[in-house]
Amino acid sequence: MTQREGLPPCCHALTPGLKRAAKTKFASELAKFGVSTKADGVQRLASDLSAARAALQLEGDAPAPSAVFQSPDDISSYTQKLATYLSLVKGFTESRQSEADADAALQASVPVTDAPVGAALRQPLVEGKPEADGALGDAHGGAASARDCSGCLNFCRWQDAITGQTVYATSARQEYAHVLLAAGIFMMTDARDKVDAILSERLSELDETQLKLAYQLLLHAAGVLDACLESMNVAPCSIGADFADLGAKAEANADNQGSANDVGAVPDDDMMAKWREEQRQIQQVTLQKVAPDSTATPNGSSAESPASDAAEDLAMLKRIPDLADGRFPQLLAWIALAEAQELVVLRGVTREVVDFTLMAKLSVDISVRYKECQTIASRLLPYSTSTTAERIRLYCAYKEPYYQAISTYFQGAACMLKEDARNCVQAVANFTKAAALFEGVVSLEKSYESKMAADKEEKQRVALLAAVFLRSQQIISRDLDIVSHRNDSVYYEPIPAPEVACNALSLVKPATFPTVTTSDLWRDGEPYAFYHITKSFYLLLVIFVLDARVHSVLEIQLHARRQEPWGVSVAVQSEHDDLKATGTTLPPPTHTTPQPSSGHRPHCGRQWSRATRHPA
């Protein structure tokens, strides 16, 4: 019995949605929070943020991702750019300046135009408070010293991938998560385009370079999405079988090949093991290129982000559909790994010698992964109101039974290669079961096609999906007819029960995303120019400036609010006209310290009444 063309899997890839950012004017927005003495540092930070964000090509008018990733080096370069932007954003989440330091910076920034005024402004904002107020101030001051300026980065706008609505990243921590999710979707979208190009060509002319590139993109996308989950304090979960590195175990498998076949273990496939080893080496090279730039600088003495700030920022993520509780990033990470394993199966069945037993084990793992994905998509995503969520649910719903049927077919194909009566009838049983399972997949696949056809951007992909899916059905029917005819004409054996499902095997795992440390720009101290005060308070200083003709009252009101710049307003009220109208003679100039009308010293949160001076 001669070996026929293997069944190429329908590895049609998902469109994960559109996650784009609006262009942001970092210079003008960050200037609102900057200290005047640190203007140069703030401008430099804004310039670096703008350049790093533009390099990610996640903004609305960015080119298609297919123009970005042309080689494995492009993947490492993009990962490095992503880590660079995140290192700048991370600086906003670390405590850098206490409240006392902010007060000192404010006082030092006031120009000395008048000696008494300048001396007064250079005094501590809160000095000599009563004991009770001092205790309260210490409590708030301690909290203030631990705060960060994450809220200063509250002006970045993103398009929600699930709902399509525009949402704001109200803090640096939210911007961090948005960028990672958008980058993961960006990589998955490019892998989808490359897979479509592969499926549209003859499999005998398979472009192995593009196949490996799509495979690496999906693994790196899964790693980026796992990093997105970690940034939200959500532990990434793994599904499917444990990763089996065939490249590392090639010699052991070769020594035990005979006994492994008897007990049902995975037989060795030298060609598949070699290809797997090539992918592992590419991944190691990618990490070596990215790690030095993103992890070279240790974390030094920078303070950790306070738990209260982080909890407040991350709690707001529950209001964003594609980041709430990490459900959507986790789902996409699982789908990316499942699609990467589909490409392993595609490469395996297009080789000259196909190990159908290995393909069956890989297909079982893919089916298990999509079953878990369907559970999340059905229970946790708002698929009843979101077109993207509904498309993902239908995608996982048809892929799970499809690969269950394909795995059964591969078991029959493995029996078909052995030209004897027992394996021939066993192949008939397995192919019959696969054909029955496939009949149940047809309606699910048609539902997914209908949802794609309703989207103008997905409509052009429907014909390709239908053609590849139909090819799978035709090959199952063809091989079933072949073995049935052979048994009816040669062996005349009764048909046994089909084989039980084989054990799952996984050859994919997420590519590790490098650890992100704070940018050296923050470590140099230049952008430590953002005020981060925990409590709003007002302090009114009254200074009397007397001369021979005019009695003026200068009211200087200092406003400090959390995540807002200090403002200084000076109001001058002249009493010269009133005094001149009454004919009152001004007393000689005196330099006395004004006292509050309430009779005791002012303190934080209490406003002074204006002290007036009447002529004798």
Side-chain angles (χ1 to χ4, degrees):
M1 189 177 296
T2 59
Q3 179 178 350
R4 296 180 178 273
E5 176 189 0
L7 185 152
C10 181
C11 50
H12 168 87
L14 172 72
T15 298
L18 187 63
K19 181 76 173 177
R20 310 299 293 175
K23 284 191 174 181
T24 303
K25 298 180 180 179
F26 286 98
S28 59
E29 294 292 345
L30 291 180
K32 302 175 183 178
F33 302 95
V35 182
S36 59
T37 57
K38 295 289 186 177
D40 293 341
V42 174
Q43 290 181 0
R44 180 183 173 189
L45 175 64
S47 176
D48 288 2
L49 282 169
S50 299
R53 200 170 196 248
L56 298 179
Q57 304 192 31
L58 299 177
E59 296 178 336
D61 56 351
S66 57
V68 178
F69 303 105
Q70 298 294 334
S71 67
D73 290 339
D74 293 334
I75 301 178
S76 62
S77 176
Y78 188 83
T79 307
Q80 179 180 344
K81 294 175 183 178
L82 180 59
T84 299
Y85 179 74
L86 294 177
S87 67
L88 292 170
V89 174
K90 189 174 182 179
F92 287 91
T93 66
E94 296 184 352
S95 299
R96 292 295 183 182
Q97 188 174 11
S98 66
E99 183 176 353
D101 295 335
D103 295 344
L106 169 68
Q107 296 160 14
S109 66
V110 177
V112 185
T113 56
D114 184 85
V117 176
L121 290 178
R122 281 170 171 75
Q123 297 300 319
L125 291 179
V126 180
E127 181 182 24
K129 295 181 292 185
E131 182 176 355
D133 293 333
L136 179 64
D138 291 341
H140 288 294
S145 62
R147 305 285 289 199
D148 55 43
C149 49
S150 176
C152 295
L153 202 63
N154 61 357
F155 45 82
C156 298
R157 291 183 298 163
W158 288 91
Q159 178 181 349
D160 188 83
I162 294 181
T163 63
Q165 299 175 350
T166 300
V167 295
Y168 273 90
T170 59
S171 67
R173 292 182 180 87
Q174 294 182 22
E175 171 70 5
Y176 198 100
H178 276 292
V179 170
L180 285 170
L181 175 59
I185 291 177
F186 190 70
M187 292 180 173
M188 291 183 67
T189 302
D190 183 64
R192 177 207 65 185
D193 295 341
K194 296 185 186 307
V195 171
D196 285 352
I198 292 171
L199 294 178
S200 61
E201 301 292 338
R202 295 174 59 90
L203 293 181
S204 59
E205 302 173 356
L206 181 68
D207 189 342
E208 188 170 349
T209 301
Q210 292 299 309
L211 179 65
K212 292 180 179 180
L213 187 57
Y215 174 79
Q216 287 294 325
L217 275 171
L218 290 170
L219 296 185
H220 281 80
V224 170
L225 293 168
D226 282 351
C228 176
L229 292 171
E230 293 173 353
S231 71
M232 297 186 290
N233 290 339
V234 177
C237 299
S238 60
I239 58 175
D242 294 335
F243 173 73
D245 192 346
L246 297 184
K249 300 179 180 179
E251 295 183 0
N253 289 342
D255 294 339
N256 300 323
Q257 182 175 0
S259 60
N261 290 335
D262 295 337
V263 299
V266 181
D268 179 43
D269 183 353
D270 293 339
M271 299 299 292
M272 181 63 71
K274 181 179 179 180
W275 182 66
R276 181 62 192 167
E277 179 65 20
E278 292 175 357
Q279 301 306 308
R280 188 171 63 85
Q281 292 176 358
I282 292 175
Q283 179 177 337
Q284 290 178 350
V285 171
T286 301
L287 292 177
Q288 290 174 358
K289 291 183 178 181
V290 175
D293 293 332
S294 58
T295 61
T297 304
N299 199 12
S301 59
S302 60
E304 294 292 335
S305 300
S308 59
D309 285 346
E312 180 181 354
D313 290 344
L314 298 179
M316 296 295 293
L317 293 176
K318 294 183 178 180
R319 301 183 180 182
I320 303 173
D322 60 6
L323 291 176
D325 298 323
R327 295 189 292 260
F328 189 58
Q330 181 67 87
L331 176 62
L332 292 184
W334 289 351
I335 292 177
L337 290 179
E339 290 179 349
Q341 182 122 315
E342 290 184 67
L343 297 183
V344 176
V345 176
L346 176 62
R347 187 67 188 98
V349 299
T350 54
R351 289 192 177 276
E352 184 177 355
V353 178
V354 182
D355 187 343
F356 287 110
T357 302
L358 178 61
M359 298 299 104
K361 293 176 180 290
L362 296 176
S363 298
V364 169
D365 180 68
I366 296 172
S367 178
V368 171
R369 291 178 185 273
Y370 279 119
K371 183 177 181 179
E372 294 295 331
C373 293
Q374 182 188 1
T375 301
I376 283 190
S378 300
R379 295 181 180 179
L380 302 179
L381 292 187
Y383 63 88
S384 60
T385 57
S386 170
T387 302
T388 300
E390 174 67 3
R391 185 172 64 247
I392 294 175
R393 185 186 70 85
L394 293 175
Y395 174 82
C396 299
Y398 102 82
K399 279 292 186 79
E400 183 264 326
Y402 172 83
Y403 275 98
Q404 185 180 359
I406 294 302
S407 175
T408 305
Y409 164 81
F410 284 141
Q411 287 180 294
C415 296
M416 187 178 179
L417 294 179
K418 303 173 183 178
E419 300 181 359
D420 56 46
R422 183 177 65 86
N423 284 286
C424 178
V425 294
Q426 189 63 62
V428 173
N430 291 341
F431 287 153
T432 302
K433 179 182 177 181
L437 291 174
F438 209 92
E439 288 297 328
V441 181
V442 173
S443 60
L444 297 175
E445 191 272 341
K446 294 301 180 183
S447 298
Y448 176 64
E449 280 188 15
S450 300
K451 181 59 64 174
M452 290 181 61
D455 189 341
K456 61 180 181 180
E457 296 182 358
E458 288 283 281
K459 188 175 182 179
Q460 58 185 357
R461 304 181 65 219
V462 173
L464 178 61
L465 169 62
V468 177
F469 185 81
L470 179 61
R471 181 61 175 163
S472 299
Q473 189 175 22
Q474 290 174 343
I475 291 179
I476 293 176
S477 299
R478 180 203 67 187
D479 290 349
L480 176 59
D481 291 342
I482 291 174
V483 293
S484 297
H485 181 268
R486 179 168 291 274
N487 182 59
D488 293 342
S489 60
V490 177
Y491 298 117
Y492 302 103
E493 294 288 338
I495 307 301
E499 292 179 297
V500 297
C502 57
N503 296 327
L505 179 69
S506 173
L507 293 181
V508 293
K509 66 177 181 179
T512 304
F513 188 74
T515 303
V516 177
T517 57
T518 306
S519 171
D520 292 340
L521 182 62
W522 286 92
R523 299 184 185 282
D524 293 340
E526 290 193 16
Y528 304 160
F530 301 99
Y531 294 113
H532 30 82
I533 308 301
T534 61
K535 181 181 179 182
S536 299
F537 63 91
Y538 300 91
L539 180 62
L540 183 63
L541 300 178
V542 181
I543 303 175
F544 291 87
V545 180
L546 302 178
D547 56 22
R549 297 181 58 85
V550 180
H551 174 204
S552 300
V553 179
L554 300 180
E555 292 182 358
I556 303 175
Q557 186 174 15
L558 305 179
H559 303 276
R561 296 181 184 272
R562 179 175 179 246
Q563 301 173 351
E564 292 184 0
W566 289 88
V568 179
S569 60
V570 180
V572 180
Q573 178 182 0
S574 176
E575 299 180 0
H576 173 66
D577 295 338
D578 295 338
L579 296 177
K580 183 177 180 180
T582 58
T584 305
T585 303
L586 292 173
T590 59
H591 300 281
T592 59
T593 302
Q595 296 295 330
S597 59
S598 57
H600 56 79
R601 299 178 66 93
H603 54 82
C604 179
R606 183 172 300 172
Q607 183 172 341
W608 293 14
S609 62
R610 179 181 303 169
T612 59
R613 185 181 183 91
H614 299 283

